Amino acid sequence: MFLPRLLGESCPPTGAFAEDSPAAQATRMSDSNVCDQEIAALLIEANGTVYDDTYWWRWVTRVVAQLGAHVHFADFYERWEQRYLPEVCREGRDFWKALAKQLSDLGLSQGTCDELLTAAQTRRRCVDQGVRPLPGVAETLAALGARGCILVGLANRPFPVCEFHETLVRIQVASYFDALHTSLELRRGLAEPDYLQAVLDQLPVEPSQTVF
């Protein structure tokens, strides 16, 4: 994860943007020793960095596989982010209807999809209440904030910013962030090339001073 890297470790190459785009400038900052750079803002994709909310998706994938579909979590989730999430964020499609379409495309019958979605909604509510911060997150965020870094939380999920904020409040890290964005609010998913640009446009600092 890039949080400990900002405190001293090097980072691998990330992202694929036009070389002269502001998003590319922000991304290239993570390719060097960021401690030698003037860092003004840090964009943090919360899932997998602040907390892990893939448990529910892994549960859905397991159930789908048990129902006979040939599917693995990585492929299932990547397909969701690339094909179905943009429909929810850009076109306003209902989240559950988009998920139903993905399940149907895998060959599940209408009745099976309905039963699975009913169970999935119940499981989702339980899982959301049980989200916990990953080890060392609060301490790392506090250290970054003490350095004067603008911390921007990103959630590549189709829900309002208020729900994202509620999750961060629940795990007691909301106060460390200066701004929050979700894919629904930005009307695009992280896999889309203009996602980072939409965030950078709202920052009070130059893209070259931003790390993602």
Side-chain angles (χ1 to χ4, degrees), residues 84-97:
Y84 303 95
L85 178 61
E87 292 180 2
V88 178
C89 297
R90 285 190 181 274
E91 303 169 20
R93 188 172 191 179
D94 178 76
F95 169 85
W96 296 105
K97 289 182 178 180

Side-chain angles (χ1 to χ4, degrees), residues 123-169:
R123 177 61 64 98
R124 185 62 183 263
R125 287 191 291 270
C126 294
V127 170
D128 284 349
Q129 293 298 319
V131 170
R132 295 290 182 270
L134 293 174
V137 163
E139 295 83 355
T140 302
L141 292 175
L144 293 170
R147 294 188 177 196
C149 220
I150 297 173
L151 301 182
V152 181
L154 308 177
N156 192 32
R157 299 290 182 269
F159 48 62
V161 171
C162 62
E163 291 187 24
F164 182 27
H165 180 259
E166 288 172 3
T167 297
L168 297 178
V169 168

Side-chain angles (χ1 to χ4, degrees), residues 7-25:
L7 298 178
E9 300 176 16
S10 59
C11 301
T14 60
F17 303 92
E19 285 298 314
D20 57 350
S21 72
Q25 294 179 38

